[in-house]
Amino acid sequence: MSGKIKKFISSVLSAVMLIPLVPTIAAAAETANITIEYRKEEGELVRSVEVTEEYIDGDTYTVPDELKSGFVKKNDEGFYDYYEINESKSELSKEFASQMTLVLEVNQTDRFDYYDDFEDTTRVYNWNTGSGSSAPAVQTDGTKYIKHSTGSGSTGAYATFDEVSAENKEVRITADVKFTHATGSKPGLGEFSIGSSSPTFGSGNINYGIEAGTGHILALLYRDGTTLEFNKKIANIDFVDQWIHIEADADFGRETVVVKLTNEKGDTWEGTDSFYSSAVESNIGSIYLRSPGTDGTLGVDNLTVKVTGEALPNEPDIKSVLNYKSVYAFGDSIVYGHNAPAQSFMRLTANNYAMKLNMMAKNGATIMSSSNHILTQINNAPSDAPDIVLFEGYTNDAYGSAASDPEFNPSGIQRDVTECYGEITPNGTTVFDTDTFCGSFENTIKTMKNKWGDKTKYVFVTIHESNARNHDIQVKLRELSMAICEKWGVEVVDMFTYENSAGERLNTYGHTAKDAYMNKYIINGNGSHPTVAACEEFYIPAVVEVLESLYDDDNSNNNGDDKNDDDDDKDNDRIKSNSPAAVSGYVSMTALPGSVELVSESKTPVIHIDESDYPGVIRAANDLVSDIEAVTDKKPAVKSENIVEMLPGSSGITMTDTGMAVLFDYPVPGDSKCYVAAYNADGTLEGVKISAESYGGESFDDGSIIGFSFDERLTKPAGGKIKAFVWQEMKPVTGALGMLVDKDADLSG
């Protein structure tokens, strides 16, 4: 029966029976004063929001979506911490009361050196504008952002923000940018840039833009409504009237920027270029907007700046398998370097071996829960997996009670670790008692492995035998730590027992402050912190020995054999389902006519590299290994065989007026191609030529010499050199699942 019929019958019955209808009296609305508290797991208040709402008794209040979204808060150290709501542990709804509080648990998931989503309308920006230019204003278009508008001509404005020191750092910059112009009009030059804190502009005029200015690091230029440029390169991406997301990594060591642009359609463009300006200070601290002329606009949103690690040097001091490996370092002042962080053992190691170091360790940090927790360092670290995670800890946990440890904990203010050593759990345990040392240590390793996976190599460093802590407690914590590392498959650099080349150990136990030994090996002659001498004689060689052995194991386990073990899981041999389908016509995930098969179910490539080549070439080869492994779950072997360096005029390369020939005096497969590359003196690639066929189409009778002919001559650059590279072409199998490269692709870049 419909509602309308029910209502009619009710009215009729009431009239017939002469029963008066009693009107419903609405309940009076009341006012609720609601406090929403955002607290960390340990209870620390991060922020609170006051809300006032009308309600009827018995109603329920539910936290709206906009109050459940992530947010940023600037901390006391000047960093911008990003928090997300843990809804499973939060009060998301509650019955109304006149005074009520809901508590939402938050987790810090990121940290930025600078952050602005332009949602705070009370924030004051000190814009510097050119003549006739208005300052950008906060706009609301779904979300708040800043927009710069212009009239008939192009005008500009810039503002400075919290300066981020970037000397010899690698910095990630992200922003959303949108250029627009009036329909049917031809706009002028629109410009967006992020620069140092003191940028300059053409002829000293802000309206003239950045092209003749200084201090500009990353730039997008919208030129005449036809092209989008990233720094000095053309970016082939549909951009007009669309938000473009910028993700850029700026290397302040090499002064280069790697950028990825993504538009609203999901189209992407990637490129690498030098800093936009030739003169840039070692900091980031300004934003510049120049809207295109003829009623054009430029919008900017979600600007972030984050120091992600150390910039890579141009060349390593020591050539090693460790060159250009990425390392995240966690721990206390032993890793950080106390009051001389530039001279810590890991910093010195990274400098010597051109390793990309992200130093997260902090003075005073502990394995067990505290306000300076090593686990917090791990949670705040980037989510991108490094090659190596190196960590150290337990020095600041190594205290007994006031009675048992009167020398180092006389007041008893430090936690007595002897009362909470705990137990190492059986294999398969997933929940740990973090009120104990063992539980905290296991939870630390579990957190790292869950975050970065098994492809990262994990290394724990014990402290040397020190006179700055109770000896028995040191011995016990080292014993527990090493046993836990063995359980979890973590390599250990045991400084407690390490002997240098002279058979000596770093052992300050029994020495007194400021004696000759302490002055040589311990900072300030007192405490536990190793000097440069201690690092160079003990810590660095011990760490390098272990790290290099990890990669030696990799090489010995991968002998280049294309065949998989019979008991391998076939699913692991296949390319991941979320791999990109193709990359600009060079790489495909399906077999194509004329392609060369690199990876398949039964084949893993071998990459040949000359160990004496430029560091950039070696790094590129190692990067290719990582890329292929990430896409296919198969790790190529890297070998130095079959690479010959030859100068024009030698017996190896013969040049004529019509072409060039290459001879190799070792076995080469008959169906190979030869790639000859010319390098400038600085290591940059001048050009590449690919042989048409093997010389004469066959090798010599003994199979030990083969030649390649070239239709075109490749000229050696002045001061440069020519190298020849050979690899065998593997014919693709129709329909096979593999990774292929177009053999006719332009490789000159």
Side-chain angles (χ1 to χ4, degrees):
M1 185 181 296
S2 73
K4 288 185 178 181
I5 294 175
K6 287 181 178 179
K7 184 175 181 180
F8 172 75
I9 292 174
S10 176
S11 299
V12 170
L13 289 174
S14 297
V16 171
M17 300 174 65
L18 302 177
I19 300 174
L21 294 176
V22 179
T24 301
I25 301 175
E30 298 184 55
T31 300
N33 297 311
I34 306 166
T35 301
I36 301 175
E37 295 183 346
Y38 299 80
R39 293 184 178 272
K40 296 180 181 180
E41 183 177 8
E42 58 271 24
E44 179 186 344
L45 180 66
V46 177
R47 76 166 183 174
S48 63
V49 175
E50 303 293 334
V51 178
T52 300
E53 282 207 14
E54 300 294 318
Y55 73 97
I56 303 297
D57 191 37
D59 286 352
T60 299
Y61 173 78
T62 300
V63 179
D65 289 342
E66 61 267 23
L67 295 180
K68 294 188 295 184
S69 58
F71 63 91
V72 167
K73 182 178 180 181
K74 191 174 183 179
N75 65 26
D76 294 339
E77 296 176 332
F79 294 106
Y80 295 77
D81 292 333
Y82 184 80
Y83 293 93
E84 293 182 336
I85 312 300
N86 184 349
E87 294 193 11
S88 65
K89 295 185 178 181
S90 299
E91 293 181 285
L92 300 178
S93 62
K94 196 173 188 178
E95 186 173 330
F96 272 107
S98 59
Q99 301 290 331
M100 56 187 296
T101 300
L102 292 89
V103 178
L104 308 186
E105 183 176 299
V106 295
N107 298 322
Q108 182 190 331
T109 57
D110 213 337
R111 171 170 286 181
F112 301 94
D113 292 83
Y114 181 76
Y115 180 99
D116 200 343
D117 58 9
F118 305 102
E119 295 292 314
D120 183 2
T121 56
T122 65
R123 186 168 182 172
V124 177
Y125 295 91
N126 295 315
W127 288 99
N128 301 276
T129 60
S131 176
S133 176
S134 58
V138 176
Q139 303 290 315
T140 300
D141 182 11
T143 60
K144 296 181 179 67
Y145 64 97
I146 56 169
K147 183 169 73 173
H148 185 244
S149 303
T150 187
S152 59
S154 294
T155 60
Y158 84 93
T160 57
F161 52 79
D162 299 346
E163 182 180 302
V164 177
S165 177
E167 184 173 2
N168 291 321
K169 303 291 185 183
E170 189 165 279
V171 183
R172 173 156 292 185
I173 304 167
T174 67
D176 296 318
V177 174
K178 183 178 183 179
F179 292 100
T180 68
H181 65 89
T183 304
S185 65
K186 184 177 181 179
L189 177 62
E191 298 177 334
F192 163 81
S193 85
I194 298 296
S196 57
S197 56
S198 302
T200 66
F201 304 91
S203 300
N205 190 324
I206 297 173
N207 287 341
Y208 288 1
I210 65 175
E211 289 190 289
T214 63
H216 302 282
I217 300 161
L218 161 70
L220 282 189
L221 292 82
Y222 175 31
R223 193 177 296 278
D224 300 327
T226 58
T227 60
L228 180 72
E229 301 172 15
F230 151 65
N231 286 11
K232 305 298 174 61
K233 292 194 172 183
I234 303 297
N236 297 317
I237 187 170
D238 183 13
F239 61 88
V240 178
D241 296 326
Q242 290 191 59
W243 282 104
I244 299 173
H245 180 65
I246 303 170
E247 185 176 285
D249 290 309
D251 186 326
F252 277 77
R254 301 185 179 194
E255 297 193 346
T256 58
V257 184
V258 179
V259 73
K260 179 179 181 181
L261 306 178
T262 307
N263 67 11
E264 292 179 19
K265 299 176 183 178
D267 302 323
T268 62
W269 182 90
E270 298 181 24
T272 302
D273 204 356
S274 57
F275 284 0
Y276 184 83
S277 300
S278 57
V280 174
E281 300 173 67
S282 295
N283 64 66
I284 299 176
S286 68
I287 177 173
Y288 176 72
L289 287 75
R290 185 179 193 259
S291 52
T294 317
D295 300 319
T297 67
L298 171 55
V300 179
D301 200 3
N302 301 317
L303 172 63
T304 73
V305 179
K306 179 180 180 180
V307 176
T308 56
E310 299 296 311
L312 288 175
N314 288 320
E315 290 195 32
D317 293 336
I318 304 172
K319 289 190 176 183
S320 164
V321 69
L322 302 180
N323 295 157
Y324 307 111
K325 298 295 185 189
S326 58
V327 184
Y328 294 170
F330 306 102
D332 54 35
S333 52
I334 301 299
V335 174
Y336 181 74
H338 190 45
N339 58 10
Q343 299 173 354
S344 70
F345 74 84
M346 200 58 235
R347 182 77 63 190
L348 295 171
T349 301
N351 292 344
N352 291 342
Y353 289 83
M355 303 177 79
K356 183 179 177 182
L357 175 63
N358 193 333
M359 176 62 75
M360 303 292 291
K362 291 186 177 183
N363 294 339
T366 60
I367 288 290
M368 296 187 68
S369 180
S370 70
S371 60
N372 192 356
H373 200 189
I374 291 174
L375 191 62
T376 302
Q377 301 171 17
I378 296 165
N379 290 332
N380 289 343
S383 57
D384 295 338
D387 296 310
I388 300 164
V389 164
L390 181 142
F391 68 109
E392 171 270 347
Y394 74 61
T395 302
N396 295 305
D397 299 277
Y399 294 98
S401 65
S404 64
D405 192 11
E407 183 178 359
F408 302 106
N409 191 21
S411 65
I413 193 172
Q414 302 290 348
R415 175 175 41 210
D416 180 3
V417 73
T418 66
E419 294 295 321
C420 53
Y421 283 136
E423 300 289 338
I424 300 174
T425 62
N427 290 335
T429 303
T430 58
V431 179
F432 307 97
D433 182 359
T434 54
D435 289 330
T436 69
F437 177 82
C438 287
S440 296
F441 200 100
E442 290 204 67
N443 188 54
T444 299
I445 297 176
K446 182 199 76 170
T447 302
M448 292 190 295
K449 291 205 166 191
N450 284 348
K451 185 167 186 173
W452 295 302
D454 290 334
K455 291 182 180 179
T456 293
K457 301 182 185 301
Y458 300 89
V459 177
F460 177 71
V461 181
T462 69
I463 186 177
H464 59 274
E465 195 168 357
S466 171
N467 66 2
R469 289 294 186 272
N470 180 286
H471 190 265
D472 292 340
I473 296 176
Q474 283 186 74
V475 171
K476 180 65 175 181
L477 293 181
R478 168 185 171 272
E479 172 190 315
L480 293 172
S481 299
M482 294 185 67
I484 292 170
C485 287
E486 183 177 6
K487 171 192 168 181
W488 284 85
V490 172
E491 292 293 328
V492 175
V493 179
D494 188 13
M495 295 308 306
F496 202 86
T497 60
Y498 175 78
E499 294 183 355
N500 65 10
S501 57
E504 300 170 337
R505 291 195 303 125
L506 180 58
N507 179 4
T508 64
Y509 190 69
H511 286 275
T512 58
K514 304 292 185 179
D515 70 14
Y517 188 88
M518 293 290 288
N519 285 334
K520 179 179 180 180
Y521 290 124
I522 301 300
I523 293 176
N524 298 327
N526 190 22
S528 299
H529 309 108
T531 60
V532 172
C535 291
E536 292 178 343
E537 291 184 37
F538 300 98
Y539 272 88
I540 294 174
V543 168
V544 169
E545 180 181 323
V546 170
L547 294 184
E548 286 186 331
S549 72
L550 296 177
Y551 290 95
D552 289 343
D553 290 344
D554 280 356
N555 292 337
S556 65
N557 290 335
N558 190 345
N559 58 10
D561 189 357
D562 288 334
K563 295 182 180 180
N564 296 310
D565 294 337
D566 293 338
D567 59 350
D568 281 351
D569 185 345
K570 292 184 179 180
D571 289 341
N572 290 334
D573 295 335
R574 300 181 68 84
I575 295 174
K576 295 178 179 179
S577 60
N578 62 352
S579 301
V583 180
S584 304
Y586 290 86
V587 178
S588 172
M589 296 303 159
T590 58
L592 298 173
S595 297
V596 177
E597 184 180 70
L598 296 181
V599 181
S600 70
E601 293 184 18
S602 61
K603 288 185 171 64
T604 301
V606 177
I607 296 175
H608 298 271
I609 187 72
D610 188 339
E611 291 182 344
S612 66
D613 211 330
Y614 292 103
V617 176
I618 297 174
R619 180 187 178 190
N622 289 327
D623 287 347
L624 180 59
V625 170
S626 300
D627 291 343
I628 292 176
E629 184 180 15
V631 173
T632 67
D633 275 335
K634 288 191 155 193
K635 186 171 184 178
V638 178
K639 293 189 174 182
S640 60
E641 296 92 304
N642 297 347
I643 299 297
V644 178
E645 176 175 342
M646 296 164 289
L647 296 176
S650 72
S651 60
I653 291 183
T654 302
M655 288 192 173
T656 67
D657 291 336
T658 58
M660 179 168 50
V662 181
L663 295 178
F664 295 87
D665 59 357
Y666 49 81
V668 176
D671 56 347
S672 295
K673 288 279 189 181
C674 180
Y675 291 67
V676 173
Y679 288 89
N680 289 306
D682 62 359
T684 58
L685 187 65
E686 179 71 18
V688 174
K689 297 298 180 185
I690 307 173
S691 66
E693 294 291 343
S694 300
Y695 183 75
E698 60 185 14
S699 62
F700 286 76
D701 292 339
D702 63 1
S704 62
I705 299 178
I706 191 166
F708 298 87
S709 63
F710 293 78
D711 296 330
E712 295 180 73
R713 175 174 175 158
L714 184 65
T715 303
K716 176 192 173 189
K721 61 182 177 181
I722 289 181
K723 284 179 175 287
F725 303 81
V726 181
W727 69 76
Q728 181 180 6
E729 285 189 356
M730 298 175 286
K731 304 300 181 182
V733 178
T734 303
L737 181 64
M739 181 177 179
L740 306 109
V741 61
D742 184 355
K743 68 179 180 181
D744 297 320
D746 178 12
L747 300 179
S748 61

